[in-house]
Amino acid sequence: LPHFHAVSFISDFKQGTCLNFNQVKYCDDLGITAQSASRLFIFSGLTSSLARILSGKLCNNPKINPVFVYQSSLFIGGVCVLLLPMATTYWALVAFSSAFGISDGIFITTQCYILLSCVDKERATASFCILNLLYSFSVATGGPIAGEIIPTK
């Protein structure tokens, strides 16, 4: 279980706010207006919400291993980030935001599902609290680190 928390912390930091700040800067570099760039977060949020619901239903299927679903979400997110430099139009960025939102939604849902299924019922509350504690560190530090990484004009 401690290994799961360590991997979870690293994944949360990697998947956190740094990409969102860079995405806005990337849109600015491509000449996409701020209003259009802000709509990308809507696509990401909607697909993330839908993916959370569907991946929860998927993980309830006894024939499907939730760890493979979790790993596929990290793979999808990695492929999205690798292909981001090729996205030079607004609609390509919409496709990126949607795919990355799906990855994020599956990641969050399966992370909690795996955590709560690998401990007994007496420890489920404590393990979920530890996960959220570690997640809060990554979320709290992600924004300031991203702010330091992104060059200002």
Side-chain angles (χ1 to χ4, degrees), residues 18-144:
C18 295
L19 184 65
N20 294 337
F21 289 127
N22 286 323
Q23 185 177 351
V24 171
K25 175 78 169 112
Y26 185 62
C27 288
D28 186 41
D29 292 344
L30 292 176
I32 296 172
T33 65
Q35 184 177 10
S36 295
S38 66
R39 277 192 225 113
L40 295 174
F41 294 110
I42 295 172
F43 290 109
S44 179
L46 288 175
T47 55
S48 178
S49 298
L50 183 63
R52 289 173 193 221
I53 295 168
L54 295 177
S55 64
K57 297 281 186 190
L58 189 65
C59 286
N60 280 335
N61 187 342
K63 295 180 182 178
I64 296 177
N65 188 346
V67 175
F68 293 144
V69 178
Y70 177 79
Q71 291 173 339
S72 69
S73 74
L74 295 176
F75 178 76
I76 292 168
V79 169
C80 288
V81 172
L82 287 174
L83 295 177
L84 181 59
M86 293 184 223
T88 56
T89 64
Y90 178 73
W91 289 106
L93 290 171
V94 167
F96 164 79
S97 295
S98 299
F100 196 78
I102 290 169
S103 169
D104 180 59
I106 294 171
F107 171 80
I108 294 294
T109 300
T110 54
Q111 181 183 37
C112 292
Y113 187 87
I114 292 168
L115 174 71
L116 295 176
S117 64
C118 70
V119 296
D120 54 2
K121 292 188 188 281
E122 292 80 28
R123 296 183 185 157
T125 304
S127 64
F128 190 70
C129 291
I130 292 170
L131 174 68
N132 284 329
L133 175 72
L134 294 174
Y135 184 71
S136 69
F137 289 132
S138 62
V139 169
T141 57

